[in-house]
């Protein structure tokens, strides 16, 4: 009978996204309250696993809606329309809500978020061809023992990770301008390969 049929995958995915966007798990620890920000669809070919939204993204509700996002889109070689198409690019950070700011910048993603939601979201992204792993918290979770001693060592080993469909990146925040100036190989060697692989994944 029709009522015994399972919901279509797209309907189930949308229901999960609505559940996530209504999450209040960390509400007591969030200085501006919960506002989960993510982007995903079952057909997405590129997955971006980052850290957590900043204040500006919290206010707009749009992932990477800040200078970091402008730089990231330049790194990927994609325009805004492509970047914000969930059927092409999924954005599933380690923390979905803005965690607040400490003395050295934004606080780490809340530890409750990824263990609660990633096991439910990530298995549904079966069409992903390339996963970008941005920042140390995402790299610790996604790469595990395969990461290097620090972020620089992990990103320097990008060719090895790329063989497994994953590419570690530093955070595109302006706070990392000094890192980018010290590591000229990033722009000269990694970015051309990144743009090529992104184009292949989205083709």
């Amino acid at each position: 009978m029709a009522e015994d049929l399972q919901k279509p995958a797209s309907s189930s995915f949308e229901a999960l996204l609505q559940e996530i966007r209504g999450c209040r798990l960390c509400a007591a620890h969030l200085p501006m309250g919960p506002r989960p920000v993510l982007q995903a669809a079952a057909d997405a070919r590129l997955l971006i696993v980052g850290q957590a939204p900043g204040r500006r993204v919290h206010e707009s509700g749009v992932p990477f809606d800040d200078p970091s996002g402008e730089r990231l889109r330049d790194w990927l070689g994609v325009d805004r329309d492509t970047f914000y198409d969930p059927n092409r690019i999924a954005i599933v950070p380690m923390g979905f809500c803005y965690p607040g700011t400490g003395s050295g910048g934004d606080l780490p993603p809340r530890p409750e978020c990824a263990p609660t939601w990633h096991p439910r979201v990530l298995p549904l992204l079966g069409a992903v061809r390339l996963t970008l792993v941005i920042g140390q918290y995402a790299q610790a979770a996604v790469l595990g023992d395969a990461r290097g001693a620090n972020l620089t060592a992990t990103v320097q080993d990008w060719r090895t990770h790329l063989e497994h469909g994953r590419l570690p990146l530093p955070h595109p925040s302006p706070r990392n301008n000094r890192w980018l100036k010290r590591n000229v190989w990033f722009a000269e060697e990694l970015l051309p390969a990144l743009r090529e692989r992104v184009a292949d994944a989205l083709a």
Side-chain angles (χ1 to χ4, degrees):
M1 298 178 62
E3 54 267 27
D4 294 328
L5 297 176
Q6 292 183 340
K7 293 181 180 180
S10 58
S11 176
S12 299
F13 204 135
E14 184 59 34
L16 175 58
L17 294 180
Q18 290 300 320
E19 186 179 351
I20 292 171
R21 289 175 178 132
C23 179
R24 298 296 182 266
L25 181 64
C26 305
H29 306 286
L30 301 172
M32 296 182 67
R35 189 179 191 181
V37 178
L38 76 161
Q39 168 180 302
D43 294 334
R45 302 296 185 90
L46 177 67
L47 170 62
I48 299 173
V49 182
Q51 300 192 139
R55 179 185 293 270
R56 180 166 165 179
V57 171
H58 173 89
E59 292 171 348
S60 72
V62 178
F64 285 103
D65 184 27
D66 54 19
S68 296
E70 294 177 11
R71 172 175 276 169
L72 179 59
R73 288 187 285 276
D74 178 66
W75 285 357
L76 306 186
V78 301
D79 58 22
R80 285 184 64 92
D81 287 344
T82 299
F83 188 80
Y84 289 117
D85 181 352
N87 293 297
R88 306 184 78 183
I89 298 178
I91 303 172
V92 184
M94 294 300 298
F96 296 149
C97 293
Y98 170 57
T101 303
S103 58
D106 286 352
L107 294 172
R110 290 296 312 172
E112 302 91 342
C113 192
T116 299
W117 296 113
H118 281 203
R120 296 182 62 187
V121 176
L122 299 184
L124 301 180
L125 299 174
V128 168
R129 297 177 176 179
L130 176 65
T131 299
L132 306 182
V133 193
I134 299 178
Q136 61 177 326
Y137 300 107
Q139 289 163 14
V142 176
L143 304 179
D145 293 340
R147 65 182 175 134
N150 52 44
L151 183 139
T152 300
T154 301
V155 178
Q156 281 180 321
D157 198 27
W158 62 270
R159 292 178 179 86
T160 299
H161 296 295
L162 194 54
E163 293 175 0
H164 303 283
R166 304 176 301 195
L167 188 59
L169 299 172
H171 197 281
S173 168
R175 291 179 178 271
N176 279 334
N177 286 345
R178 292 179 61 186
W179 187 95
L180 295 170
K181 289 179 180 179
R182 289 197 306 266
N183 295 277
V184 295
W185 52 268
F186 178 81
E188 294 175 354
E189 301 173 20
L190 190 153
L191 287 187
L194 169 62
R195 290 169 183 146
E196 180 179 355
R197 287 298 295 267
V198 167
D200 288 343
L202 298 179

